[in-house]
Amino acid sequence: MLRLIARPVLFALLLALSACGGQQVADCSVVKVATLPLRMDDGLPLVRVSLNGTPTWFVADSGAARSVLTETARKRLRLPEDQGHLTQTTGVGGTTTAWDARVDDLTIGGVRVPIQRMAVGNFRIGRDSDLDPAGLLGADVLLAFDLDLDLAKRTLTLYRPRMCPEGGPPWEVAAVRIPGVARHNDRLVLPVQLDGAEGMAVLDTGAQDSVVGSRLAERMGLTSAATAGDPIVGQHGAGPDPVEGRRHRFLRLAVGSTVMHEPELTILPSDGVIGDGVIGQDFMKGRRLWLSFASKQVFIAAPHTETLVAAR
C-alpha cells in the first residue's frame, strides 16, 4: 500500500489516447498485448519484468500510485541514484525521502515502458534474497493497460485500454460488475458495505489483508474503547515502520454484490494513506478480476465466497 508525490503519467495517457485511434468514438475492440505468469509469494502476486536487461520480480500493486524500488534492490541491481530527482514516498509505516534510481529500460510483456527513473523506498518485501521482489509495479505502469488478473490460474493478461463504459471483460464465464467505481490518485476506489456502513475502499492487489480505516470504524461506533478487547496485530506497508491495529471480526463485507462473510479485518488508527479502507488479497483469493483504469471498471468472477448476482 503506497501513496506518492508522483510526476505526470505521460506513458499511460498516450496509450489510453491511442486506444481510440484519434477517432471521435471509443474503439471498443479487444486487443491482447501479452499474458504473463504470476508467482504468488506470501499472498502477493508477483510479475516478471525486465529492468535494464535483468529479469526481475515486482509486486503487481494496484494500490501504489507509482512504481517504486526497495533500496536493497536498487543496490543489488546496481542502479545509480538520480540526484536530480528526490521523491517522498508515503505508505503504511511512515514516509521516506530518497533519490530516484536511474532506469535505462523497463519492459513488461514485451512492451517497453519509456521511463528514465524510478522512486526508491525504505521498506522490505520478503527476506531480501535474490528471489525477493525488487519493488512495487504501480499504477504509472499498470493503468496503461486493461488487466485480466486470474489468481486461480496465476496469470496476468494485459490488454490495450478501452474507453468503453459498457465494455466488459472478454470472458466466457459470468462476471459481476462492481458499480460506482471511481479513480482517485490513479487508484481504483470501490464502494463497500461493512456491516451496513458504507464507504469507499482502495482496490489494492499489493495488500495481503483488507484493512478498515479509523473514520469508517468510528462511523460504525467502533471507537478505541469499543475495540479495546480485540487483539493487537502489526501491519507492514511501503513505509519504514510497522503499524499496530486492532483485529476485529465483522459480520459481512460486501463489494458490489459479492460478499465475504465474517471477515477478520484490521482497524488502523489513522486514515492518512488508506481512507475508508483497503480491499486486499484476502478478499481476492481464488478470484478472477478485470481492472480497467481507463474506463473505471472492475469485474469479479470465480468468487470464493458468495455471489448474489451474476451479470455481464
Side-chain angles (χ1 to χ4, degrees), residues 126-212:
R127 296 169 298 279
D128 291 341
S129 70
D130 290 341
L131 292 178
D132 286 333
L136 309 176
L137 194 68
D140 57 340
V141 174
L142 296 179
L143 64 73
F145 308 96
D146 284 349
L147 308 176
D148 178 358
L149 184 65
D150 194 333
L151 295 169
K153 294 184 178 179
R154 298 191 177 184
T155 59
L156 172 64
T157 303
L158 310 177
Y159 288 86
R160 189 183 69 180
R162 294 179 296 162
M163 303 293 290
C164 301
E166 302 302 323
W171 300 340
E172 295 182 359
V173 298
V176 177
R177 181 196 295 269
I178 304 302
V181 175
R183 206 172 103 184
H184 180 65
N185 291 336
D186 289 333
R187 292 167 292 148
L188 293 172
V189 185
L190 313 183
V192 299
Q193 283 194 347
L194 184 62
D195 289 357
E198 296 183 349
M200 296 292 291
V202 176
L203 181 65
D204 193 345
T205 58
Q208 293 163 311
D209 298 316
S210 300
V211 174
V212 180

Side-chain angles (χ1 to χ4, degrees), residues 38-256:
L38 287 177
R39 173 183 138 213
M40 298 301 295
D41 187 2
D42 201 17
L44 295 176
L46 309 185
V47 63
R48 196 78 153 169
V49 305
S50 174
L51 187 61
N52 284 8
T54 301
T56 308
W57 293 102
F58 275 81
V59 178
D61 190 351
S62 65
R66 182 181 166 193
S67 301
V68 59
L69 284 163
T70 66
E71 174 61 18
T72 300
R74 185 196 68 80
K75 293 178 179 178
R76 185 178 76 233
L77 296 169
R78 299 180 181 179
L79 299 176
E81 293 180 338
D82 184 346
Q83 297 193 359
H85 296 90
L86 194 67
T87 298
Q88 183 182 80
T89 64
T90 301
V92 171
T95 298
T96 61
T97 303
W99 299 114
D100 286 0
R102 291 211 304 266
V103 175
D104 296 324
D105 178 80
L106 175 66
T107 301
I108 176 172
V111 177
R112 183 173 180 178
V113 182
I115 64 174
Q116 297 178 327
R117 60 186 185 271
M118 187 176 290
V120 177
N122 182 21
F123 63 100
R124 293 177 57 181
I125 310 175
R127 296 169 298 279
D128 291 341
S129 70
D130 290 341
L131 292 178
D132 286 333
L136 309 176
L137 194 68
D140 57 340
V141 174
L142 296 179
L143 64 73
F145 308 96
D146 284 349
L147 308 176
D148 178 358
L149 184 65
D150 194 333
L151 295 169
K153 294 184 178 179
R154 298 191 177 184
T155 59
L156 172 64
T157 303
L158 310 177
Y159 288 86
R160 189 183 69 180
R162 294 179 296 162
M163 303 293 290
C164 301
E166 302 302 323
W171 300 340
E172 295 182 359
V173 298
V176 177
R177 181 196 295 269
I178 304 302
V181 175
R183 206 172 103 184
H184 180 65
N185 291 336
D186 289 333
R187 292 167 292 148
L188 293 172
V189 185
L190 313 183
V192 299
Q193 283 194 347
L194 184 62
D195 289 357
E198 296 183 349
M200 296 292 291
V202 176
L203 181 65
D204 193 345
T205 58
Q208 293 163 311
D209 298 316
S210 300
V211 174
V212 180
S214 60
R215 285 179 298 182
L216 177 57
E218 289 172 1
R219 295 201 301 269
M220 301 173 67
L222 295 174
T223 62
S224 57
T227 59
D230 291 334
I232 298 175
V233 296
Q235 290 286 128
H236 295 268
D241 303 310
V243 176
E244 291 186 342
R246 295 285 182 175
R247 191 76 168 173
H248 185 79
R249 182 178 291 278
F250 295 85
L251 295 176
R252 183 177 184 270
L253 171 63
V255 181

